[in-house]
Amino acid sequence: MKKVILATLISSMAMNVQAQNISADHQEARSIVKEFGGQLVPALKGAMKSGGPVAAIDVCNTKAPAIAQDLSATHAPWQVNRVSLKPRGASATPDAWETATLKWFDEQLASGADPKKLEKFEIVKTGNQAVTRYMKAVPTAGLCLTCHGSEQKIPQGVKAKLAELYPKDKATGYQEGQIRGAFSFQKPAN
Ligand code: HEC
């Protein structure tokens, strides 16, 4: 019994140490991810249910960028965005750091990591400028395949609407469990 209590104590101490090791910026970035997902996912699911996938494209097309803008305003100076190695949205093309991080996420996934837990927090220095950067992987769920899956999974109407809105769309051909992209946030570090 004593041993159990001691083990519990030690493990809860270890957890506290871990929480303390994460900087305030890192914690804030994690909470912005929660807010982003907490607003977007229910809106997407609701629109899919009530209007079907073609109508739901509008949520992703207008609401996702609007949420990113709102969060950038409320959490300034953080700049909030989403990126992908196969981008669809106008602002989704990754820069060099984001590309490297997305590739690292894919490598981690291939070596067995849980895609839901993949994140990267780093202070990136270029010359005498430092930028605090954070990325969190976005895994592909079953629900996503209607608009991001293989040719056969995407209904004809969705294909037509996507082609109209995103003539350069690269964001299809995904399978469940793959990494669709990532949340990507940055702000000046000094
Ligand atoms: C109804 C269609 C639809 C569904 C379902 C959908 N998406 Fe998207 N997704 C889009 C559209 C449209 C965009 C482009 C948004 C924009 O213009 O910024 C997009 C963009 C994204 C982006 C930003 C990167 C990029 O390529 O633009 C990510 C990440 C993403 N989707 C992940 C997901 C995930 C994960 C799911 C499932 C939980 C999902 N999507 C379900 C239509 C959809």
Side-chain angles (χ1 to χ4, degrees):
M1 188 62 190
K2 264 189 192 155
K3 264 189 192 156
V4 172
I5 293 171
L6 196 66
T8 315
L9 253 175
I10 289 171
S11 77
S12 76
M13 273 160 63
M15 272 163 73
N16 280 336
V17 168
Q18 207 178 30
Q20 278 163 11
N21 278 343
I22 293 172
S23 68
D25 280 342
H26 191 165
Q27 282 176 33
E28 191 180 6
R30 282 183 175 178
S31 79
I32 300 172
V33 165
K34 284 205 179 115
E35 271 187 74
F36 203 142
Q39 292 181 39
L40 185 57
V41 175
L44 176 64
K45 283 187 177 160
M48 293 277 272
K49 251 193 192 151
S50 63
V54 177
I57 293 174
D58 282 336
V59 170
C60 301
N61 176 240
T62 58
K63 193 146 180 134
I67 295 171
Q69 255 185 2
D70 274 5
L71 291 174
S72 299
T74 46
H75 295 279
W78 280 108
Q79 283 168 34
V80 172
N81 194 19
R82 293 188 305 167
V83 293
S84 174
L85 289 173
K86 297 203 297 167
R88 171 172 291 165
S91 66
T93 303
D95 68 12
W97 187 82
E98 289 166 330
T99 302
T101 304
L102 285 163
K103 286 185 177 161
W104 180 74
F105 286 162
D106 279 340
E107 284 162 23
Q108 294 296 108
L109 179 70
S111 50
D114 179 353
K116 291 198 186 93
K117 294 195 177 140
L118 288 172
E119 62 169 0
K120 180 150 199 163
F121 179 90
E122 195 175 320
I123 295 179
V124 180
K125 293 197 173 96
T126 357
N128 51 8
Q129 283 210 309
V131 182
T132 304
R133 304 200 67 161
Y134 177 77
M135 274 172 72
K136 171 97 175 66
V138 178
T140 309
L143 152 82
C144 321
L145 302 179
T146 311
C147 298
H148 294 295
S150 60
E151 189 78 356
Q152 312 88 275
K153 298 262 180 189
I154 306 179
Q156 208 49 50
V158 171
K159 271 184 204 156
K161 180 88 182 180
L162 287 175
E164 182 194 318
L165 290 171
Y166 306 98
K168 292 182 185 152
D169 186 19
K170 293 200 176 76
T172 57
Y174 286 89
Q175 282 167 19
E176 201 171 336
Q178 286 185 318
I179 292 170
R180 172 62 269 276
F183 294 104
S184 180
F185 312 152
Q186 56 182 297
K187 67 172 190 173
N190 43 16

